[in-house]
Amino acid sequence: MARIKFSFARGGYFTAKVMLDKAPKTWDAIRKRLPLTIKAYNARWTGRETHTKLDLPDKPPRENQILNAGLGDVIYACEWSDRDVTGFEAIGWFYGTETVRDWRGESRVNLFARVDQSEWPFLEEVGLRTWREGGEDCTISVADE
């Protein structure tokens, strides 16, 4: 079972189980860039989402796409060629149920991992922390393969 780990400068971490059967190309592209330390921010447009910007050399295709994310969902977002391309690309995780959107409106994203329900309280803590206190360094790494 593959897992991805998110560790935070202000303390704590959570892990998420990767959906290898539903988003293998997304995981492969992300895994090649890990470990990575980058700022995590509250997502202005979506709401109860925290995200880190990303720059993958090889963008994965659309797979296991969702528009409505639930608590614990971990997603990969980029601008596929059917949209105006500004270069935005991110990994995001949700601490509440939300419709995924950006400055242009609703936006489909690749769902590639899910945080276990036992870790949801910390997921919410990190989300509220980045919303109230600003960006926080986050180290993303492979937890298990």
Side-chain angles (χ1 to χ4, degrees):
M1 168 187 3
R3 297 184 74 78
I4 186 169
K5 181 178 182 180
F6 299 82
S7 304
F8 298 89
R10 295 183 193 130
Y13 71 89
F14 65 84
T15 62
K17 182 181 176 186
V18 176
M19 300 172 173
L20 291 173
D21 57 330
K22 296 182 179 179
K25 293 177 181 175
T26 301
W27 174 238
D28 188 53
I30 290 170
R31 184 176 40 83
K32 289 176 183 175
R33 284 281 286 137
L34 302 180
L36 174 68
T37 299
I38 194 160
K39 283 271 192 227
Y41 296 98
N42 188 262
R44 176 180 171 94
W45 297 100
T46 297
R48 292 172 293 180
E49 176 195 356
T50 307
H51 72 271
T52 60
K53 290 186 179 179
L54 198 59
D55 185 16
L56 298 179
D58 298 311
K59 313 292 188 235
R62 294 176 183 269
E63 59 182 1
N64 199 35
Q65 291 231 300
I66 61 168
L67 181 58
N68 296 304
L71 177 58
D73 286 349
V74 181
I75 57 96
Y76 165 78
C78 81
E79 298 168 322
W80 284 276
S81 61
D82 62 335
R83 300 190 82 178
D84 295 334
V85 178
T86 64
F88 182 78
E89 183 178 16
I91 293 175
W93 52 92
F94 289 81
Y95 60 98
T97 301
E98 297 285 354
T99 298
V100 184
R101 60 180 59 88
D102 63 17
W103 58 96
R104 296 165 289 204
E106 295 177 345
S107 179
R108 293 195 177 277
V109 294
N110 290 359
L111 173 62
F112 78 93
R114 185 162 285 135
V115 177
D116 186 80
Q117 186 175 357
S118 66
E119 297 189 72
W120 288 357
F122 181 69
L123 196 65
E124 182 178 22
E125 178 185 323
V126 169
L128 293 173
R129 199 161 73 193
T130 57
W131 176 51
R132 293 176 179 150
E133 300 173 32
E136 178 173 352
D137 281 347
C138 174
T139 299
I140 306 170
S141 58
V142 176
D144 301 311
E145 283 249 53

